[in-house]
């Protein structure tokens, strides 16, 4: 297998940065990593870290992927540098927290742009550049969803809605592209131990912390596995994925258990605050 080309959005920190290292380790024969994020400083730091891998070539692109023209520029630059795209990881995400009635239209639009429109834009743009699968070379589009996309989450209506839409799109596109041997998949994690929720712990809904916390590396491992395989979804933690299925199928179950889950979440929040202190 020769070098593969992987585009990762939101690459500068958290799950995105863990994915960068994950793909570097997973493909020792060579990997071209296209690192996309809004801030160039974080990307440059990550690029320096990748110097330890002899098998890696990098391209760092500062871009706001909520804009279609920026998405086009990312794909054009990737093709100019490496000639094709094997894997797209739609990891970038945005969450303005709080009840829907308290959010501005601008905040809502920004979440829709980053969480839903950008992954669709990028998927449409990269598909013409994906080569037929050969010699074990992966061909995949992997979305970073959320357990909030599997079951409605009070206090995060827009975020939950965008992740639910992303999951539905994944399953539909997966069926469309199956015969072309392009795997379209989604990882649906619960809380992840990153700045995305830990730096805003007081603003995050208590119920989020009721579930076991995953590490960025665990989520990245699932993303690499989805990119290299044929599964459509990995929910994590496993048991939390089953709970969200029950909550979606049986809304009464979700409402009845909500109070207990909030209690558990509040207790866990206190533990995380102490850890942070």
């Amino acid at each position: 297998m020769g070098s593969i080309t992987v585009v990762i959005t939101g690459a500068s920190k958290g799950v995105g940065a863990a994915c960068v290292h994950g793909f570097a380790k997973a493909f020792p024969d060579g990997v071209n990593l296209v690192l996309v994020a809004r801030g160039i400083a974080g990307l440059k730091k990550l690029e320096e870290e990748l110097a330890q891998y002899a098998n890696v070539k990098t391209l760092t692109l500062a871009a706001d992927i909520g804009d279609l023209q920026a998405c086009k520029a990312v794909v054009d630059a990737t093709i100019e540098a490496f000639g094709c795209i094997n894997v797209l990881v739609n990891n970038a995400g945005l969450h303005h927290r709080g009840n829907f009635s308290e959010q501005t239209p601008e905040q809502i639009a920004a979440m829709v742009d980053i969480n839903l429109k950008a992954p669709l834009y990028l998927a449409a743009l990269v598909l013409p550049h994906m080569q037929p699968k050969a010699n074990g070379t992966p061909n995949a589009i992997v979305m970073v969803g959320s357990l909030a996309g599997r079951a409605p989450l009070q206090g995060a209506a827009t975020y939950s809605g965008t992740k639910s839409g992303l999951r539905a799109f994944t399953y539909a596109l997966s069926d469309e592209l199956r015969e072309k041997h392009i795997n379209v998949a989604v990882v649906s994690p619960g809380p992840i131990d990153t700045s995305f929720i830990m730096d805003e712990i007081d603003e995050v809904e208590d119920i989020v912390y009721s579930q076991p916390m995953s590490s960025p590396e665990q989520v990245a491992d699932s993303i690499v596995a989805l990119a290299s395989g044929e599964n459509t979804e990995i929910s994590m933690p496993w048991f939390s994925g089953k709970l969200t299925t029950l909550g979606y199928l049986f809304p009464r179950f979700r409402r009845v258990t909500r109070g207990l889950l909030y209690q558990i979440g509040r207790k866990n929040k206190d533990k995380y605050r102490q850890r942070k202190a």
Side-chain angles (χ1 to χ4, degrees):
M1 185 194 306
S3 295
I4 70 163
T5 299
V6 182
V7 178
I8 303 171
T9 68
S12 60
K13 58 184 179 181
V15 170
C19 278
V20 170
H21 286 282
F23 278 101
K25 294 172 184 175
F27 295 95
D29 291 341
V31 59
N32 307 315
L33 295 173
V34 182
L35 317 180
V36 184
R38 285 181 293 182
I40 194 66
L43 292 176
K44 289 299 183 184
K45 180 177 181 296
L46 187 58
E47 193 175 32
E48 292 172 4
E49 294 174 10
L50 290 171
Q52 66 182 291
Y53 303 105
N55 60 311
V56 173
K57 294 180 180 178
T58 61
L59 174 64
T60 55
L61 299 171
D64 180 357
I65 59 164
D67 177 67
L68 176 57
Q69 295 307 314
C71 292
K72 288 180 177 178
V74 165
V75 173
D76 289 345
T78 301
I79 297 305
E80 183 178 352
F82 301 121
C84 73
I85 296 172
N86 300 99
V87 178
L88 167 65
V89 179
N90 279 313
N91 167 66
L94 178 66
H95 192 177
H96 291 297
R97 304 184 189 280
N99 291 333
F100 183 83
S101 58
E102 298 167 357
Q103 293 178 337
T104 67
E106 290 77 15
Q107 289 175 319
I108 293 164
M111 281 189 278
V112 173
D113 286 347
I114 297 296
N115 298 345
L116 186 56
K117 289 170 67 175
L120 271 63
Y121 288 159
L122 286 166
L125 290 165
V126 303
L127 279 174
H129 302 289
M130 285 190 161
Q131 302 298 318
K133 193 170 185 177
N135 301 323
T137 301
N139 257 2
I141 300 171
V142 184
M143 318 293 185
V144 178
S146 170
L147 291 183
R150 293 174 56 86
L153 181 60
Q154 176 184 338
T158 302
Y159 183 79
S160 182
T162 57
K163 293 298 186 179
S164 179
L166 188 63
R167 182 172 181 262
F169 171 74
T170 297
Y171 272 85
L173 190 61
S174 175
D175 287 345
E176 283 187 27
L177 298 178
R178 193 169 300 278
E179 292 184 1
K180 294 184 178 180
H181 305 291
I182 298 173
N183 193 39
V184 185
V186 59
V187 59
S188 298
I192 308 170
D193 195 357
T194 69
S195 60
F196 191 72
I197 64 170
M198 298 309 289
D199 285 358
E200 301 177 357
I201 191 167
D202 292 327
E203 286 75 41
V204 179
E205 285 282 310
D206 292 345
I207 196 171
V208 171
Y209 298 94
S210 66
Q211 303 303 305
M213 192 89 71
S214 297
S215 70
E217 290 73 24
Q218 288 172 320
V219 180
D221 287 345
S222 292
I223 291 168
V224 173
L226 288 169
S228 304
E230 297 181 351
N231 290 334
T232 306
E233 183 173 15
I234 294 176
S235 301
M236 54 192 306
W238 177 86
F239 183 71
S240 299
K242 299 303 180 185
L243 280 180
T244 56
T245 299
L246 284 173
Y248 181 78
L249 293 175
F250 305 102
R252 181 176 172 81
F253 171 81
R254 186 176 72 250
R255 296 184 184 110
V256 168
T257 58
R258 182 177 289 155
L260 175 61
L261 292 175
Y262 265 86
Q263 282 185 346
I264 295 171
R266 278 191 290 272
K267 289 180 181 178
N268 288 339
K269 248 188 180 182
D270 289 338
K271 293 178 183 177
Y272 291 129
R273 285 194 188 97
Q274 291 171 13
R275 186 192 75 175
K276 192 175 179 181

